[in-house]
Amino acid sequence: MEESVIREIYRLKSEKDAVILAHCYQPPEIQDIADHVGDSLQLSRIAASTDVSVIVFCGVRFMAETAHILSPDKTILLPEPIAGCPLADCIDVPTLRSMQAMFPDSLTVLYVNSSADVKAESYACCTSANALEVVESAPSDSVIFAPDRNLGTFISRKSDKKIHIWNGACRTHAVADIQDIKRHIEEWPDAELLVHPETSPEIWELADAVLGTGGMVRHVSNSQATRFIIGTEEGMVYRLKTLFPDREFIAAGRIYCPNMKVITLQKILDSLINLEPAVHLDPEVREKAYAAVARMTEITG
Ligand code: CIZ
């Protein structure tokens, strides 16, 4: 059954001039059939640079929106429209505007894990890898950082700027269990512990490095270590095992995002058959959100 679905996906992909992009938190069977696997920004940039007309984005809504922001002329399909992100949903435009009214001298730096209409209200976007660089280069002494409070705290410890941090968190990373992580460190004392900055500060204290998913890939590729404990969504363990079959990886506990697991092979096939559900944004929102993403690219090169 699965094989015939995969065959049909491949056939339709070529018939409809499509590529399949999968976030590294997607389940193994989706990563396996994707043309590219990566983090949200990397995938959106691939979407913009490829010359196909249809992108099947296997991730969550804000990621497919970012692809649409960068590629308005392509059809961006999100095979399961309920694939949302509680972190992105924890901030809305009216509440952000009230915070901006409280701190009128502060520019807003927004983590890409946010919806397009909120991005449209910001000075610049950032990823976990470039958040410090974007904050440091904003032409203001203080910054509003949203929506992830752990990433905001991580940046505020490295920056001299006053940072007003939005009190949001990723439900998957923020509840990672420190006892689980300590148990894994005891079991694999020679391993490097890599954790995502969306986890809590007490977990960073135990880590060899605090990195986004792209940073984890680069770190492993440059490291002499052979074993790694991975403190981010468990889909990343599969990604790292695929990229580095000669190393060993273990998840730092049950760090599981249910929203990242709602897309199935059948839903990918249905989306290719119907060319739906596609992402649509108000053109004015898209343009303003584009300006925030473009500013990040200007800053970080
Ligand atoms: O933006 C992304 O891709 C996410 C969710 C995490 C990361 O660190 O890359």
Side-chain angles (χ1 to χ4, degrees):
M1 156 73 176
E2 193 167 279
E3 269 178 30
S4 65
V5 173
I6 293 173
R7 258 199 315 277
E8 200 46 16
I9 289 175
Y10 286 146
R11 190 187 70 74
L12 278 175
K13 198 165 67 112
S14 121
E15 187 182 300
K16 305 262 173 129
D17 188 31
V19 293
I20 300 176
L21 307 183
H23 192 269
C24 46
Y25 295 162
Q26 287 288 294
E29 67 277 14
I30 308 261
Q31 294 193 31
D32 285 348
I33 57 127
D35 296 287
H36 302 278
V37 181
D39 66 31
S40 63
L41 193 68
Q42 192 185 352
L43 293 176
S44 293
R45 287 182 170 149
I46 291 171
S49 64
T50 162
D51 56 6
V52 300
S53 45
V54 176
I55 308 288
V56 183
F57 206 116
C58 303
V60 292
R61 169 157 293 278
F62 82 81
M63 300 178 177
E65 281 185 356
T66 308
H68 176 66
I69 289 166
L70 294 180
S71 320
D73 299 331
K74 290 176 183 147
T75 300
I76 311 289
L77 302 173
L78 178 63
E80 172 48 83
I82 64 158
C85 169
L87 174 60
D89 293 343
C90 79
I91 179 166
D92 59 25
V93 171
T95 340
L96 175 60
R97 284 188 182 159
S98 345
M99 189 163 176
Q100 289 169 328
M102 283 167 64
F103 305 109
D105 298 331
S106 302
L107 291 169
T108 301
V109 174
L110 203 75
Y111 190 26
V112 282
N113 298 30
S114 52
S115 62
D117 55 346
V118 178
K119 282 189 177 77
E121 303 289 315
S122 71
Y123 164 73
C125 285
C126 71
T127 65
S128 51
N130 63 28
L132 180 62
E133 196 181 351
V134 175
V135 164
E136 291 292 275
S137 60
S140 60
D141 295 332
S142 63
V143 157
I144 294 173
F145 187 89
D148 190 78
R149 66 167 178 262
N150 286 338
L151 180 58
T153 303
F154 187 69
I155 299 311
S156 69
R157 291 185 182 182
K158 293 170 186 276
S159 172
D160 291 334
K161 292 198 180 190
K162 171 82 193 141
I163 305 191
H164 307 289
I165 302 171
W166 187 273
N167 190 15
C170 164
R171 284 188 204 158
T172 297
H173 285 94
V175 299
D177 183 354
I178 194 158
Q179 298 311 329
D180 268 354
I181 296 180
K182 285 185 175 164
R183 232 182 346 264
H184 283 104
I185 295 172
E186 270 172 32
E187 280 164 18
W188 279 20
D190 56 321
E192 286 191 348
L193 171 65
L194 311 183
V195 304
H196 199 280
E198 291 172 21
T199 58
S200 57
E202 59 273 23
I203 289 180
W204 310 336
E205 315 283 313
L206 301 174
D208 294 285
V210 181
L211 300 159
T213 56
M216 287 184 186
V217 171
R218 285 187 291 278
H219 180 96
V220 172
S221 118
N222 294 325
S223 169
Q224 299 301 314
T226 53
R227 303 218 280 187
F228 300 86
I229 303 165
I230 301 302
T232 190
E233 211 283 334
E234 60 188 41
M236 188 61 190
V237 173
Y238 184 75
R239 175 66 180 149
L240 289 166
K241 283 182 175 170
T242 308
L243 287 174
F244 304 100
D246 56 332
R247 318 277 187 105
E248 287 183 87
F249 301 92
I250 191 172
R254 183 94 175 120
I255 308 180
Y256 174 87
C257 174
N259 298 288
M260 277 286 177
K261 314 298 179 194
V262 291
I263 292 175
T264 60
L265 292 171
Q266 184 62 50
K267 285 175 185 166
I268 294 174
L269 177 58
D270 294 344
S271 72
L272 279 166
I273 293 170
N274 304 315
L275 292 185
E276 288 286 347
V279 175
H280 299 286
L281 290 174
D282 175 278
E284 198 184 321
V285 167
R286 191 204 74 80
E287 266 175 44
K288 286 190 184 161
Y290 178 81
V293 177
R295 187 163 279 124
M296 167 180 72
T297 306
E298 270 161 38
I299 294 167
T300 58

